[in-house]
Structure formats: structure tokens, C-alpha cells
């Protein structure tokens, strides 16, 4: 244990072993010891030596330490020592290292090499990183914290390789995201640093981290820590958010769709006081502003930028930024970054630009924020970065904002200038800066004015009307003339700063002004001194600084040729080309024109819209002007080499194109007008349809009301008819209710039913009469044929007489009912006639209100009487039905008896016929016997004799009886 005593500081009797020997013995102990305590002590000793003997421990112990991580995971203490040792070996943190003075030379380079080499050795086996990810999942503080630090160090040394290993590892990124939810702030904060390194320049990992709810957790941490007043943890969270959002359109869209922009507003709620700003607060707020700029950067897709800009306006974030912009006591660097942030939030967004135009500074009297910012831009005492920021803000305000451009130019026009001079306008500030003795103010004002004319031919023409008073007693000159005068004077004016800068600014303004505006070119050429000045500048051989001016002069002369409409005879295109050929030479002119795009400052300005310059001397080109140069350089070169015939052809083509364009614009205008008319017609149709629906609704209401009035009118007519029938003295009318009309209609229906039933009964009676007549005739025939059936026939006749009497009674009843029905019909007709005659009387129904109750009572009484009559009629109807049933039954009985009598008559006839046949037979036999007896000689008496003898005997017998 002597080597352990040496390591731990105990006394040793022999000579001290070297560090390499001690480390070798400790490594052997770690590899060969069977007891866990011995291995733990050896690893602890390696940890203590790892800072001083980093190289030796890394070379000899790394393999053994990795083996410990694989085999001794059950003991958190030895795992923690092993992770700490590996961290000391791999990390390049020099704060805790103890070095001798002799070792301090070339140390950083050696340290970087060591860390990178040891990292490469460690990650050569990907299982080591996977093992480390597994250990980071452990909740034990002594394992998790050193594991997080080691993984962070690996990412610092070999970021892309470690990122790829973690990316392909199952749930690798998700395991690390759990660190943000750890309740121990040390682990959570180091987890943020780990994710910073993990998300650097890796879009795939950035997306995974974002969709693992990183935004929500990071914003919660920032809020818990106090937003901008928080400590370095807030700074780390903001840096991680920048990593996730910068140049990652998917995450930016997810951040916007998740409504996280709204949660950024409380960050900028800064109190307007002079309590002081801590360095950490300035850093935090600076990062917060940069995070806003990441979301609305001009390099983002236009659609994504526009949606974020709108979201920032609707949630009040832009308003909060403008509050900081106008607040007092804000540090200069925060104010500068706020101006840049507001610039990009409003750039190209009309809604935000309009709001910014309405912002006023808290001054007395209030001034527009744009005016206050322009005052700072043309003030040479303000910091250079602040002036650049204001210029960028002004450019963004005018970007794709024709309304804003018109407002700025209108402040320069004679009709809108404030005559009192109490307030300073934006146009006056720009003119003041344009003609001041400070070259930087000249350049900024020229560029700002050029942006007010960008892609707006109308404003270019209007700006030609601007007149400037140069000095007392001299006539005013145009703004264009004044610019060319200052340009031609050049070095004669004593200026602060670069003289080239002023000329470059004025030339950029003139080039922007004259491009695509023939009227401005004509005004420029109208001054006879301008073309000689340009050709003289281009033809001279000047130094490198002046070459840029020569290139811009060549560009301006080329614009004067290309956009020349040949309205001035002395400065036609062909004459200007000949002038170039004689005094400059075409090749020389093209060479000078190429000086612009070959300049280093031109390349820098073309990279991004924001003007960022290391010093005022480098402030030469504007981003939008570089686009103009790129567009015109080629066409000017072609125009210089074209012949007059080609120019004529080109002019003809241009004219035809212009005519075509005019026709197209005319048709577009017509189509636009037709579209407007269609829209107006559609609106009129919509209004008419709505009015029609309303009118239909009112018509239906009126129809229903008319129907109600008709019903009331009909009821009044009915009531008036009844009232005049029963009470001739009264001619008043009144309103009937719905129940009475229903009862009247029921009465009419019942009358019709009675009529129908009466007709049916009459038909049935006719049928019965016909049957009875038939029976009578048959009975009479039967009476003539047989005398023996006289008794039965008399009984049938008696029965028939009774039936006839009943039928007569029925007939009388039916006649009474028919008389009653006819009476009711006559009354109904009388009522109708009286109703027709009572129509004029209805007009004066207003005077009948007093008698309405009396008439209603009478009407109810009459209805009751009608009901009673109906009841009596129904009872009579029932009795008639009963009589009819009885009569039908008697008729049926009579028919049965008739059939029986007919049978009896037929039988008697048959018997009589039989008897006659028998008698005829007997007569024949008797006659035959008499003939035989006569033939035999027997005396036979004749029938006549017999009959006479019989009669004599009968007489004798009668006499004897009389005698007796």
C-alpha cells in the first residue's frame, strides 16, 4: 500500500515513485483486484491524479475505466469516480489544472489535441457512447451529473461524430431530453448545456428535440428564472432556443403554431426607470432580441416570415418592442439591437409598417418615431452602430411599402411643407443630412432617399418638383440639380469623413432615381454640365479610391443612354454613344463599369440587407443598390455596343411592346372595372334578394292578415243576416268567433245529409209501393182462380191493409220532414240574400260595439234552438229508421205468405186437373159400358133421364119434408 500512501499524502520511507509508475500500479489494481473496495480506491486515486497527469491517465487507464463502467454498474460510487476521471482526461477545461510556469507555452494547443485524441479513442467503439447514454438515465446524482458533463465534453471535442452516434442510438435524444425535467437544478442546467452542444448544426436532432416538447420546457425555465432578470441559466436556455430555431424552417413553423411567440411578450416588459441594468440582464435581453430576429429574418422563406410578423403584431410583441424603442435609460447596445429587431419585424409587412408609422415618441409635442430615429441617423454625435441600425429600420419601413414611400416623399413636396416651421418632417431631415458637411450623414440620407424611390416611377417623377432654397437672393433649384451640383464640386467642399463616401452616396441616389424613369433622365440631361462631368470623371486615370466613383459615373451615364427617350436632340442615344466612343472608348467604359461589381465592399453589401460595417470608411454600398447594378450592368453593356439600326429596331420593338402593354393595361383596366361592376351588381343582387325576402315576409304577413279580415268579414255577414232575420230593428254588425262559424258550417252539412236521406227514403218507399202493387195483383189473380182459398186471401188482404196504413203513416212523416227541410232551405236563402244586402252596412261597424254582447247572446240562443231542432230531427230520423225496418220486415213476411199461397194455388190447380182427367176417364168408361149394355139389349137410361129423375125425386123429398 506504499503507492496509495504516496498518493494520499502519507509518509513514505523509501524514494517517491514517479507519476507514471503510480498510475501503472493503480491500473493494475483496477484490473486485477477482486474486492470492490480495492477497485474503488484505485479509481478514486486515478481521479485525483487525472488532472495533473492527464496524458498518462488517459493512455494507461481509459480502457480499464471503460471496463469498470461496463462491469461495476451496481456500485454508483465507483461509476461516479470513473466518469469523473474520464471527464478530466477528455475535457479541455483548464481552470482547475495545476501547471508549472515552464509548461504554459504551447499548452492550449496541446490541450486541444489531447482532448480531441482521447475523445476519438473513446468514441471509436460506439458502444461506449451508448453505455454513457444508459448511465445518464440513472437517477443517482453521483452517476448522472458526471455522465452529463462527460457527454458534453465529448460533443465539444468531436461534435458531428458523437451526434451521429446518438442519433442512431435507440431513444438516444429522448433520454437526454429527460434532463430538463430533473428537479436538481445542477443537472438540469448542465442538461441545457449538453443539449446546446448536441443541437449545433444538426437539423435532424434539432427537430427531434423540438418535438420532444423542448420549447415548452425551456420557456418554463426562463419564466421560473425571472425572464430577462434571470441569471446565466436564462442565457443558456436562450442559446439553446437559437440553436433550435436558426435556419430551421420546420422548428420555426412549429414554434409559431404552438403559440410560443405569445409567450415571448413578457420578456420585453422593461420598466422605464434608471435603476440600472446588470450585465447579465443586458446579455439576456440581447439574446431575446436575437431570438425574435431569428423568427423574422429576411433569409427565411417569405411565407414563414410573414406569418411570424403577423403573430407578433397580434400578440402585442411589436408594440412592446416599440415601447422599449421610445423608452429612456435603455443601454445603447440594447437600443441598437431593438431597432434592428423592430426593423425586421416590420420589413415587408404592411400591417406592421402602418402601425410603426403611427408610433409617437413621448415628447412635447409628440413626434413620430420615424422622425426621432432620422434625427439620430443624421446626427454625427450618435454611435456609428446606432446610425446604421436607424438606416436599416428606415429601409425596412419602406420595403414594399408604397404608402410609406409616398408619405416620405410628400413631406418634400411644396404643397405639404409646414409653413410655420414648428415641426421637422422626415423629408426635411433627409435633405438636411444630404447636404450637411458630414460624409456619413450624406451617405445615409442619400441611401434613405433612394429607398423612398425604390421601384416607384410615380414618386420619381414627383420628386422632380422639389425645389430647394440654396441661399438668400438666389432662385431655388431642384433637388436633382442640387445633387449634381454637389457631385460636381467634389473636393471643393470641406467635409468630415471620407469624401468618396459622399460622392458614392449621391451617385447611388441618382442611379436609383433615373433608372426606369425617362422623364428624370430628360431632366438630368437638360443640365448641359452633367454629361461633360461624367465623361471627364470616367476618362481620367485616378487612384483605387476614385475607381469606385468612376464605375458609378459610368453606370449613371449608361442609365442616361438606356432609359433615354430621345426627346432632347443634342443628347440622343446615338450622340451619347458617339461621345463615349470618342472621349472614353467602349472597352474602357465597360472596364470602368465593371469596377463596381469587382469591389470587395460591393460583395459584402450584396450578402444581406442589414448594413453592417466594421467602420464608417467601409460604408459604401447598399444591398438594394447591388441588385440594381446586377440588373443594369449587362443591359448597359449591350446598349453601348448596339448600332443605330439595332437601336431603331429596339425602339420599334419597345414601341410595339409598349403598345401591347398599353392594350394589356387597357384590357386589365376594363376587366378590373368589369370586376368592380360585377361586385357592385352582386352586392345589389344580395341587397335586392334580402329586400325581396323581407317584402315576401311582409306580403305573407299581410296575406294572413287579409285572410283573417276576410274570415271576420264573412262571420260578420253571417251574424248580420241572422240578426236581421230575427231582429229587424237592429242593423248593427259585430265580430264573430271561430267556434260559431264552425257550428254554422255543421248545420249546413247536416241539412245536406237530411236532404240525401230524404231522397233515399223516397226511393225506398217507391220500391215498396211497387212490391205492394204486385202483391195486390197477384192476390186478385189468386182470388179469381180458386174459391177455396178465399179465407186465406182475406187474411192476407187484411194484413196488407195494415201495412198500407203503416206506410201511409211513414209517408206523412217523411212529408213533414221534407217540409221542414224545405223550410230550412228557404231560411238559408233568405240569410244569404240579407248578407249580400248588408255589405254596405258593414262599413259602419264601428258603432256596433255597444250591442255586440246582446247580439252574441241572441246568437247563442239561436244556436241552442238550432241544436234542439237538430236533436228532434235526429230522433225523428231514428223513428223513421225503425218504421222503415218494421215495414221492410212486414214486406218480407208478405212475400213469404205470397209464395206460400202461390204454392197452394198451384197444388189445387194440379188436383183439379187430375180430377178432371179422372172424370173424363170415367165418362168414357160409362159411355162404353152403356154401349155394350145396349148392344146386349139391356135397357140403359140416358144421363138426361137420370138427371131429370133425380131432380123429380129431389122435389118429392122436398114436399114430404114440408108436409112433415
Amino acid at each position: 500500500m506504499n503507492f496509495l500512501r504516496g498518493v494520499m499524502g502519507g509518509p513514505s520511507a523509501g524514494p517517491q515513485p514517479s507519476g507514471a509508475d503510480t498510475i501503472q500500479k493503480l491500473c493494475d489494481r483496477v484490473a486485477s483486484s477482486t474486492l470492490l473496495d480495492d477497485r474503488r480506491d484505485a479509481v478514486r486515486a486515478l481521479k485525483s491524479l487525472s488532472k495533473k497527469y492527464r496524458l498518462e491517465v488517459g493512455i494507461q487507464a481509459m480502457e480499464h475505466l471503460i471496463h469498470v463502467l461496463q462491469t461495476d454498474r451496481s456500485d454508483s460510487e465507483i461509476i461516479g469516480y470513473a466518469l469523473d476521471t474520464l471527464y478530466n482526461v477528455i475535457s479541455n477545461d483548464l481552470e482547475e489544472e495545476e501547471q508549472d510556469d515552464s509548461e504554459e507555452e504551447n499548452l492550449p494547443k496541446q490541450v486541444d489535441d489531447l482532448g480531441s485524441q482521447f475523445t476519438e479513442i473513446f468514441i471509436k467503439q460506439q458502444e461506449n457512447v451508448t453505455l454513457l447514454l444508459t448511465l445518464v438515465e440513472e437517477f443517482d446524482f453521483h452517476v448522472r451529473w458526471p455522465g452529463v458533463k462527460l457527454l458534453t465534453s465529448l460533443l465539444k471535442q468531436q461534435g458531428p461524430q458523437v451526434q451521429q452516434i446518438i442519433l442512431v442510438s435507440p431513444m438516444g435524444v429522448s433520454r437526454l431530453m429527460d434532463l430538463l425535467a430533473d428537479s436538481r437544478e445542477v443537472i438540469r442546467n448542465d442538461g441545457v448545456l449538453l443539449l446546446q452542444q448536441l443541437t449545433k448544426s444538426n437539423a435532424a436532432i434539432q427537430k427531434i428535440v423540438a418535438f420532444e416538447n423542448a420549447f415548452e420546457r425551456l420557456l418554463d425555465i426562463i419564466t421560473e428564472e425571472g425572464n430577462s432578470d434571470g441569471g446565466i441559466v436564462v442565457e443558456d436556455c436562450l442559446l439553446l432556443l437559437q440553436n433550435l430555431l436558426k435556419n430551421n424552417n420546420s422548428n420555426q413553423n412549429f414554434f409559431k403554431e404552438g403559440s410560443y411567440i405569445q409567450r415571448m411578450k413578457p420578456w420585453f416588459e422593461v420598466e422605464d426607470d434608471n435603476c440600472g441594468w446588470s450585465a447579465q440582464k443586458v446579455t439576456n435581453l440581447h439574446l431575446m432580441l436575437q431570438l425574435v430576429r431569428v423568427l423574422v429574418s429576411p433569409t427565411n422563406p417569405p411565407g414563414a416570415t410573414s406569418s411570424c410578423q403577423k403573430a407578433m403584431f397580434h400578440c402585442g410583441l411589436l408594440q412592446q418592442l416599440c415601447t422599449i424603442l421610445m423608452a429612456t435609460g435603455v443601454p445603447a447596445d440594447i437600443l441598437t439591437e431593438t431597432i434592428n429587431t423592430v426593423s425586421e419585424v416590420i420589413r415587408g409587412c404592411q400591417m406592421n409598417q402602418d402601425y410603426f408609422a403611427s408610433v409617437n415618441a413621448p415628447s412635447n409635442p409628440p413626434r413620430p418615431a420615424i422622425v426621432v430615429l432620422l434625427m439620430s441617423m443624421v446626427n454625427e454625435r450618435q454611435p456609428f452602430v446606432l446610425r446604421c441600425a436607424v438606416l436599416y429600420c428606415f429601409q425596412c419601413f419602406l420595403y414594399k411599402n408604397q404608402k410609406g414611400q409616398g408619405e416620405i416623399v410628400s413631406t418634400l413636396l411644396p404643397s405639404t411643407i409646414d409653413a410655420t416651421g414648428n415641426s421637422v418632417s422626415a423629408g426635411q431631415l433627409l435633405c438636411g443630412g444630404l447636404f450637411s458637411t458630414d460624409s456619413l450623414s450624406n451617405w445615409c440620407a442619400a441611401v434613405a432617399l433612394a429607398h423612398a424611390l425604390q421601384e416607384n416611377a410615380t414618386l420619381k417623377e414627383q420628386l422632380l418638383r422639389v425645389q430647394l432654397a440654396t441661399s438668400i437672393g438666389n432662385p431655388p433649384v431642384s433637388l436633382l440639380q442640387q445633387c449634381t451640383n454637389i457631385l460636381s464640386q467634389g473636393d471643393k467642399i470641406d467635409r468630415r469623413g471620407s469624401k468618396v463616401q459622399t460622392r458614392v452616396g449621391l451617385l447611388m441616389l441618382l442611379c436609383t432615381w433615373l433608372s426606369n424613369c425617362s422623364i428624370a433622365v430628360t431632366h438630368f440631361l437638360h443640365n448641359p454640365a452633367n454629361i461633360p462631368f461624367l465623361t471627364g470623371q470616367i476618362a481620367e486615370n485616378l487612384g483605387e479610391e476614385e475607381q469606385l466613383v468612376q464605375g458609378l459615373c459610368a453606370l449613371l451615364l449608361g442609365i442616361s443612354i438606356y432609359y433615354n427617350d430621345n426627346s432632347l436632340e443634342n443628347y440622343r442615344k446615338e450622340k451619347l454613344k458617339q461621345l463615349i466612343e470618342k472621349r472614353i472608348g467602349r472597352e474602357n467604359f465597360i472596364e470602368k463599369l465593371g469596377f463596381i461589381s469587382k469591389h470587395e465592399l460591393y460583395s459584402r453589401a450584396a450578402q444581406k440587407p442589414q448594413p453592417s460595417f466594421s467602420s464608417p470608411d467601409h460604408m459604401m454600398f447598399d444591398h438594394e443598390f447591388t441588385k440594381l447594378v446586377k440588373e443594369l450592368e449587362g443591359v448597359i453593356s449591350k446598349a453601348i455596343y448596339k448600332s443605330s439600326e439595332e437601336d431603331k429596331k429596339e425602339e420599334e420593338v419597345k414601341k410595339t411592346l409598349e403598345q401591347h402593354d398599353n392594350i394589356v393595361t387597357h384590357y386589365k383596366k376594363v376587366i378590373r372595372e368589369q370586376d368592380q361592376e360585377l361586385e357592385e351588381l352582386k352586392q345589389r343582387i344580395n341587397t335586392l334578394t334580402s329586400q325581396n325576402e323581407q317584402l315576401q315576409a311582409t306580403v305573407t304577413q299581410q296575406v294572413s292578415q287579409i285572410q283573417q279580415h276576410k274570415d271576420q268579414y264573412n262571420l260578420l255577414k253571417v251574424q248580420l243576416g241572422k240578426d236581421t232575420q230575427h231582429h229587424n230593428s237592429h242593423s248593427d254588425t259585430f265580430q264573430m268567433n271561430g267556434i260559431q262559424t264552425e257550428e254554422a258550417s255543421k248545420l249546413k252539412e247536416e241539412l245536406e245529409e237530411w236532404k240525401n236521406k230524404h231522397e233515399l227514403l223516397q226511393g225506398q218507399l217507391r220500391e215498396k209501393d211497387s212490391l205492394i202493387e204486385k202483391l195486390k195483383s197477384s192476390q186478385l189473380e189468386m182470388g179469381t182462380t180458386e174459391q177455396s182459398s178465399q179465407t186465406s186471401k182475406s187474411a192476407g188482404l187484411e194484413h196488407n191493409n195494415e201495412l198500407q196504413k203503416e206506410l201511409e203513416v211513414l209517408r206523412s212523416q217523411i212529408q213533414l220532414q221534407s217540409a221542414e227541410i224545405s223550410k230550412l232551405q228557404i231560411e238559408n236563402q233568405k240569410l244569404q240574400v240579407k248578407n249580400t244586402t248588408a255589405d254596405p252596412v258593414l262599413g259602419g261597424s264601428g258603432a256596433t260595439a255597444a250591442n255586440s254582447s246582446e247580439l252574441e247572446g241572441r246568437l247563442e240562443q239561436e244556436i241552442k234552438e238550432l241544436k234542439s231542432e237538430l236533436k228532434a230531427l235526429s230522433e225523428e230520423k231514428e223513428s223513421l229508421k225503425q218504421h222503415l225496418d218494421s215495414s221492410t220486415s212486414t214486406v218480407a213476411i208478405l212475400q213469404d205468405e205470397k209464395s206460400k199461397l202461390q204454392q197452394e194455388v198451384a197444388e189445387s190447380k194440379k188436383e183439379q186437373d187430375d180430377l178432371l182427367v179422372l172424370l173424363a176417364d170415367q165418362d168414357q168408361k160409362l159411355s162404353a159400358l152403356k154401349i155394350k149394355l145396349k148392344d146386349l139389349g139391356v135397357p140403359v137410361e140416358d144421363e138426361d133421364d137420370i138427371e131429370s129423375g133425380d131432380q123429380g125425386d129431389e122435389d118429392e123429398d122436398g114436399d114430404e119434408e114440408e108436409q112433415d
Side-chain angles (χ1 to χ4, degrees):
M1 297 295 291
N2 289 333
F3 64 94
L4 286 176
R5 291 193 191 97
V7 170
M8 302 305 292
S12 58
Q16 292 289 336
S18 64
D21 295 338
T22 304
I23 291 166
Q24 182 62 45
K25 291 178 181 179
L26 290 172
C27 291
D28 292 341
R29 188 62 178 251
V30 170
S32 60
S33 294
T34 56
L35 294 176
L36 180 61
D37 293 338
D38 289 345
R39 294 199 301 277
R40 187 188 303 119
D41 292 339
V43 174
R44 186 190 297 117
L46 285 172
K47 175 190 171 184
S48 62
L49 293 171
S50 59
K51 291 179 182 178
K52 188 174 182 179
Y53 299 101
R54 181 182 175 191
L55 179 62
E56 291 79 0
V57 172
I59 293 172
Q60 299 183 35
M62 182 175 286
E63 186 178 353
H64 301 294
L65 293 171
I66 293 171
H67 184 71
V68 167
L69 295 177
Q70 294 171 345
T71 57
D72 292 330
R73 289 184 57 184
S74 58
D75 185 64
S76 61
E77 191 173 357
I78 191 172
I79 296 294
Y81 292 149
L83 291 171
D84 283 333
T85 307
L86 288 171
Y87 172 74
N88 292 336
V89 169
I90 291 172
S91 175
N92 287 332
D93 189 4
L94 305 178
E95 292 178 359
E96 297 180 359
E97 292 187 4
E98 297 177 0
Q99 289 113 7
D100 297 331
D101 295 338
S102 60
E103 298 176 352
E104 289 182 357
E105 295 180 4
N106 298 326
L107 187 62
K109 188 176 179 180
Q110 294 176 1
V111 167
D112 290 341
D113 292 341
L114 280 177
S116 179
Q117 290 172 5
F118 285 136
T119 301
E120 194 171 351
I121 293 169
F122 184 84
I123 66 173
K124 186 177 267 188
Q125 298 293 328
Q126 294 187 6
E127 295 81 4
N128 296 339
V129 180
T130 306
L131 175 63
L132 190 55
L133 291 173
T134 307
L135 293 172
V136 168
E137 283 189 292
E138 297 288 336
F139 186 74
D140 194 315
F141 181 81
H142 298 289
V143 176
R144 196 171 206 182
W145 188 39
V148 170
K149 293 195 296 181
L150 177 58
L151 192 55
T152 305
S153 182
L154 291 174
L155 286 164
K156 286 180 180 178
Q157 301 298 333
Q158 297 287 339
Q161 292 86 342
V162 180
Q163 284 174 344
Q164 194 61 31
I165 295 170
I166 294 173
L167 191 60
V168 300
S169 177
M171 299 294 290
V173 179
S174 300
R175 295 177 191 177
L176 300 179
M177 284 301 299
D178 294 336
L179 298 172
L180 296 179
D182 201 304
S183 58
R184 295 160 292 191
E185 289 190 3
V186 177
I187 295 178
R188 184 199 69 186
N189 298 342
D190 282 348
V192 173
L193 296 174
L194 169 61
L195 290 172
Q196 275 185 30
Q197 299 298 325
L198 181 65
T199 55
K200 276 185 178 179
S201 305
N202 193 308
I205 294 178
Q206 289 169 2
K207 291 179 183 179
I208 296 172
V209 171
F211 283 95
E212 288 285 343
N213 208 21
F215 293 138
E216 184 77 28
R217 295 182 185 180
L218 291 172
L219 292 172
D220 288 340
I221 294 171
I222 292 172
T223 305
E224 291 170 6
E225 294 292 326
N227 294 328
S228 61
D229 294 321
I232 194 169
V233 179
V234 174
E235 179 183 349
D236 294 335
C237 291
L238 291 169
L239 289 171
L240 176 55
L241 285 170
Q242 281 193 20
N243 284 352
L244 295 175
L245 293 172
K246 196 168 187 179
N247 299 324
N248 194 316
N249 300 327
S250 174
N251 283 2
Q252 289 174 7
N253 187 48
F254 180 67
F255 190 85
K256 179 184 69 71
E257 295 295 335
S259 300
Y260 296 119
I261 291 177
Q262 287 81 341
R263 296 187 62 179
M264 298 170 72
K265 183 187 174 185
W267 296 356
F268 305 102
E269 292 176 355
V270 180
E271 296 180 359
D272 189 8
D273 54 17
N274 296 319
C275 61
W277 291 58
S278 64
Q280 187 62 54
K281 182 175 181 177
V282 171
T283 303
N284 292 343
L285 202 56
H286 200 274
L287 290 171
M288 289 172 178
L289 292 168
Q290 286 183 350
L291 191 62
V292 175
R293 293 184 65 185
V294 165
L295 295 171
V296 293
S297 174
T299 58
N300 293 342
T305 301
S306 177
S307 59
C308 289
Q309 287 172 334
K310 292 176 182 177
M312 289 176 184
F313 174 78
H314 290 302
C315 74
L317 181 58
L318 175 59
Q319 293 84 331
Q320 201 65 43
L321 292 172
C322 291
T323 303
I324 298 176
L325 197 66
M326 296 292 109
T328 58
V330 180
D333 52 347
I334 293 297
L335 182 60
T336 303
E337 190 64 25
T338 304
I339 294 171
N340 288 327
T341 305
V342 171
S343 305
E344 294 184 351
V345 173
I346 68 174
R347 187 177 189 270
C349 181
Q350 187 67 50
M351 178 173 57
N352 293 3
Q353 289 167 340
D354 292 342
Y355 170 76
F356 184 70
S358 66
V359 175
N360 288 324
S363 60
N364 192 13
R367 289 178 175 174
I370 297 172
V371 173
V372 175
L373 291 174
L374 288 177
M375 291 171 69
S376 301
M377 185 185 74
V378 297
N379 187 354
E380 55 185 305
R381 296 176 183 175
Q382 294 293 339
F384 172 66
V385 289
L386 180 63
R387 298 174 74 180
C388 290
V390 172
L391 176 61
Y392 183 47
C393 184
F394 192 73
Q395 291 174 352
C396 292
F397 170 69
L398 298 177
Y399 182 71
K400 293 184 179 179
N401 183 12
Q402 293 190 355
K403 180 182 176 183
Q405 289 176 329
E407 291 174 354
I408 296 299
V409 173
S410 66
T411 59
L412 288 166
L413 298 177
S415 59
T416 56
I417 295 176
D418 187 6
T420 59
N422 292 330
S423 61
V424 180
S425 66
Q428 291 172 344
L429 288 170
L430 290 176
C431 284
L434 193 63
F435 306 128
S436 72
T437 56
D438 178 32
S439 61
L440 188 60
S441 298
N442 299 153
W443 190 91
C444 291
V447 171
L449 198 55
H451 275 264
L453 304 174
Q454 198 79 37
E455 298 179 357
N456 198 326
T458 305
L459 294 181
K460 291 177 183 179
E461 294 177 8
Q462 289 185 5
L463 200 64
L464 296 171
R465 296 165 46 202
V466 177
Q467 299 290 321
L468 301 175
T470 54
S471 60
I472 299 172
N474 293 328
V477 296
S478 66
L479 178 62
L480 182 65
Q481 182 63 42
Q482 185 66 14
C483 291
T484 55
N485 290 342
I486 295 173
L487 188 63
S488 61
Q489 291 174 5
D491 299 336
K492 297 177 183 179
I493 301 174
D494 187 16
R495 300 182 183 278
R496 291 180 295 275
S498 174
K499 295 179 182 179
V500 175
Q501 193 174 43
T502 300
R503 297 165 71 186
V504 168
L506 289 170
L507 285 167
M508 285 196 298
L509 172 60
L510 291 172
C511 289
T512 306
W513 194 346
L514 269 61
S515 64
N516 203 17
C517 184
S518 300
I519 298 175
V521 172
T522 303
H523 278 256
F524 179 76
L525 296 175
H526 194 71
N527 186 353
N530 290 336
I531 296 299
F533 167 75
L534 293 178
T535 54
Q537 288 288 319
I538 299 168
E540 288 184 9
N541 292 321
L542 303 173
E544 291 186 3
E545 291 184 358
E546 295 293 333
Q547 285 183 352
L548 190 56
V549 176
Q550 287 182 320
L552 291 171
C553 288
L555 179 65
L556 183 58
L557 184 56
I559 291 171
S560 301
I561 294 172
Y562 185 72
Y563 292 104
N564 192 347
D565 58 357
N566 294 327
S567 59
L568 295 176
E569 186 62 31
N570 294 330
Y571 296 103
R572 297 175 64 86
K573 286 185 179 181
E574 190 61 33
K575 290 186 177 181
L576 290 175
K577 289 180 185 178
Q578 292 174 2
L579 186 65
I580 291 173
E581 180 67 28
K582 290 178 181 178
R583 296 197 180 177
I584 304 169
R586 292 180 180 178
E587 290 79 9
N588 191 22
F589 178 85
I590 299 300
E591 183 183 358
K592 297 290 176 71
L593 183 63
F595 284 164
I596 302 173
S597 56
K598 294 177 182 177
H599 204 280
E600 181 184 358
L601 298 177
Y602 174 89
S603 302
R604 290 183 187 177
Q607 292 175 1
K608 58 181 180 178
Q610 182 183 0
S612 57
F613 306 101
S614 57
S615 67
D617 294 336
H618 293 161
M619 202 171 192
M620 288 294 175
F621 286 108
D622 172 57
H623 178 74
E624 292 296 327
F625 181 74
T626 59
K627 294 181 181 178
L628 182 66
V629 172
K630 197 178 294 183
E631 177 185 350
L632 294 177
E633 187 176 5
V635 295
I636 289 173
S637 300
K638 291 179 181 178
I640 295 298
Y641 283 103
K642 281 181 181 177
S643 62
S644 59
E645 294 179 358
E646 291 177 348
D647 284 339
K648 288 180 181 178
K649 289 181 181 179
E650 187 176 353
E651 286 179 2
E652 291 176 358
V653 171
K654 279 185 179 181
K655 286 180 180 179
T656 54
L657 288 174
E658 285 177 359
Q659 292 176 357
H660 177 71
D661 291 339
N662 292 331
I663 294 170
V664 171
T665 52
H666 173 68
Y667 280 117
K668 283 182 179 179
K669 185 178 179 181
V670 171
I671 292 168
R672 200 174 295 112
E673 290 175 355
Q674 291 177 350
D675 288 338
Q676 291 177 356
E677 291 177 359
L678 282 174
E679 289 297 325
E680 291 175 357
L681 290 172
K682 285 180 181 178
Q683 291 177 358
R684 288 182 62 188
I685 288 168
N686 293 330
T687 54
L688 289 173
T689 50
S690 61
Q691 290 177 2
N692 187 19
E693 290 174 357
Q694 292 176 358
L695 291 173
Q696 284 180 353
T698 53
V699 166
T700 52
Q701 290 178 358
Q702 290 176 357
V703 167
S704 63
Q705 290 176 0
I706 290 168
Q707 189 62 37
Q708 290 177 1
H709 290 312
K710 282 183 179 179
D711 295 338
Q712 293 173 2
Y713 175 71
N714 292 329
L715 291 172
L716 286 171
K717 286 201 317 188
V718 172
Q719 182 62 31
L720 182 62
K722 289 185 178 180
D723 188 49
T724 52
Q725 180 184 359
H726 295 286
H727 307 283
N728 294 325
S729 61
H730 298 286
S731 61
D732 300 332
T733 58
F734 58 91
Q735 190 174 0
M736 300 285 289
N737 56 24
I739 299 171
Q740 293 169 349
T741 56
E742 291 177 358
E743 290 177 352
S745 61
K746 286 181 181 178
L747 287 172
K748 289 181 180 179
E749 290 174 0
E750 287 178 356
L751 285 173
E752 294 295 329
E753 288 177 1
W754 281 113
K755 286 180 183 178
N756 296 329
K757 288 178 181 177
H758 176 68
E759 291 174 358
L760 288 172
L761 287 172
Q762 284 182 348
Q764 290 176 359
L765 283 173
R766 291 190 194 97
E767 291 176 359
K768 297 294 188 301
D769 289 336
S770 63
L771 287 172
I772 290 166
E773 292 296 331
K774 288 179 181 179
L775 286 171
K776 283 181 180 180
S777 62
S778 63
Q779 285 173 357
L780 290 172
E781 290 174 359
M782 287 167 60
T784 57
T785 56
E786 188 178 9
Q787 295 178 354
S788 63
S789 62
Q790 287 178 356
T791 58
S792 62
K793 283 192 284 181
S794 63
L797 288 169
E798 290 175 357
H799 190 68
N800 285 331
N801 291 329
E802 291 177 357
L803 286 171
Q804 284 179 353
K805 290 178 182 179
E806 289 177 355
L807 286 170
E808 290 295 330
V809 172
L810 286 170
R811 282 176 182 173
S812 62
Q813 291 177 354
I814 289 167
Q815 287 175 357
L816 291 171
Q817 289 178 358
S818 62
E820 185 70 24
I821 288 167
S822 63
K823 184 181 179 181
L824 288 170
Q825 288 176 349
I826 291 165
E827 288 179 356
N828 187 15
Q829 291 175 358
K830 288 180 180 180
L831 285 172
Q832 290 178 355
V833 171
K834 289 178 181 179
N835 285 333
T836 55
T837 57
D839 289 341
V841 184
L842 292 172
S845 62
T848 63
N851 298 325
S852 61
S853 60
E854 183 179 352
L855 293 173
E856 285 177 0
R858 291 174 186 172
L859 186 62
E860 289 176 357
Q861 188 175 0
E862 289 174 1
I863 289 168
K864 288 179 181 178
E865 291 175 359
L866 287 171
K867 284 183 178 179
S868 62
E869 288 177 0
L870 282 171
K871 190 174 182 181
L873 287 171
S874 63
E875 289 175 356
E876 288 178 358
K877 176 185 171 184
E878 291 296 327
S879 64
L880 284 171
K881 281 185 179 180
Q882 291 176 0
H883 287 300
L884 183 63
D885 293 335
S886 63
S887 65
T888 52
S889 63
T890 53
V891 167
I893 293 167
L894 286 172
Q895 285 180 348
D896 292 335
E897 290 177 354
K898 176 186 174 184
S899 61
K900 287 179 182 179
L901 287 171
Q902 286 177 350
Q903 281 183 352
E904 289 175 355
V905 168
E907 288 175 356
S908 63
K909 282 184 177 181
K910 188 177 182 181
E911 288 175 355
Q912 287 177 357
D913 292 332
D914 292 336
L915 287 172
L916 289 171
V917 170
L918 288 172
L919 287 172
D921 290 335
Q922 288 177 358
D923 288 337
Q924 288 178 0
K925 287 179 180 180
L926 285 171
S927 62
L929 287 173
K930 283 179 179 179
I931 293 168
K932 286 181 178 180
L933 286 173
K934 286 177 177 181
D935 292 334
L936 290 174
V938 179
V940 179
E941 297 179 355
D942 294 329
E943 290 179 357
D944 297 329
D945 296 334
I946 293 170
E947 290 176 358
S948 64
D950 292 334
Q951 289 178 355
D953 291 336
E954 288 174 1
D955 294 334
E956 289 176 358
D957 291 333
D959 295 336
E960 288 177 356
E961 286 175 0
E962 289 176 359
Q963 293 176 357
D964 292 334

